[in-house]
Amino acid sequence: MQLWQAVLALSEGRESRILGAALIINLAAAAIGVLIGLGALLWLDWEGGRAAIVLISSQLLRTSDPLTGILRKHDRFDYLAIVRSGAAAVTLLAAAVFWHVAAPIGAYLIAFALVFVGTNAVLLAKVLQLCVPERRRAAKLSRY
């Protein structure tokens, strides 16, 4: 949906609110996509099973568009490049290993879903670090 462009344009001084709205929109769009994907599996009566369901369901955690907008706003292109290149390298390595050991396609689908979720978790952690001011984080930590 390219929500990163809206986040980049509208987030001046309101990053957390815009990010929250963009994440909700992304979740709604992902839910529609998951329903379509699962419906297609049922309609095709495909026996791909759990691995395909895991891969399709991992789209619910697709948060990379709004996160990309915040990281671009903070000129963290280097971080984006490192994370995305690392994810691509891990996916390529997994594909090569699974091909070499003649693993079933389900193994690759689950590995791809895990790489996808991990990448989004790393991006989300960095965005939260950028969006939550240092004083608020220090105040929360000092209570413990």
Side-chain angles (χ1 to χ4, degrees):
M1 290 182 48
Q2 299 295 318
L3 282 176
W4 68 268
Q5 295 173 357
V7 170
L8 189 61
L10 301 172
S11 66
E12 193 62 43
R14 304 176 293 169
E15 286 179 348
S16 60
R17 282 184 30 203
I18 295 297
L19 180 62
L23 288 173
I24 289 170
I25 292 168
N26 238 25
L27 180 63
I32 291 168
V34 167
L35 290 175
I36 291 170
L38 294 176
L41 280 180
L42 290 174
W43 182 65
L44 294 172
D45 197 27
W46 185 56
E47 294 296 324
R50 293 182 206 130
I53 291 171
V54 167
L55 181 62
I56 291 170
S57 298
S58 71
Q59 298 301 307
L60 283 173
L61 301 175
R62 183 174 176 81
T63 57
S64 60
D65 280 350
L67 302 177
T68 298
I70 296 294
L71 290 170
R72 285 178 179 233
K73 182 177 183 287
H74 288 275
D75 292 325
R76 296 309 311 260
F77 296 98
D78 56 340
Y79 192 81
L80 277 168
I82 290 169
V83 170
R84 292 207 172 131
S85 297
V90 169
T91 303
L92 178 65
L93 180 64
V97 168
F98 292 150
W99 176 77
H100 182 69
V101 298
I105 191 69
Y108 177 76
L109 292 175
I110 290 172
F112 182 76
L114 291 174
V115 168
F116 179 74
V117 170
T119 300
N120 287 328
V122 169
L123 291 177
L124 180 62
K126 186 62 171 180
V127 165
L128 291 177
Q129 182 184 20
L130 293 171
C131 287
V132 178
E134 188 66 36
R135 290 186 305 235
R136 280 194 350 207
R137 281 191 302 217
K140 285 181 182 178
L141 289 175
S142 66
R143 287 189 291 184
Y144 297 110

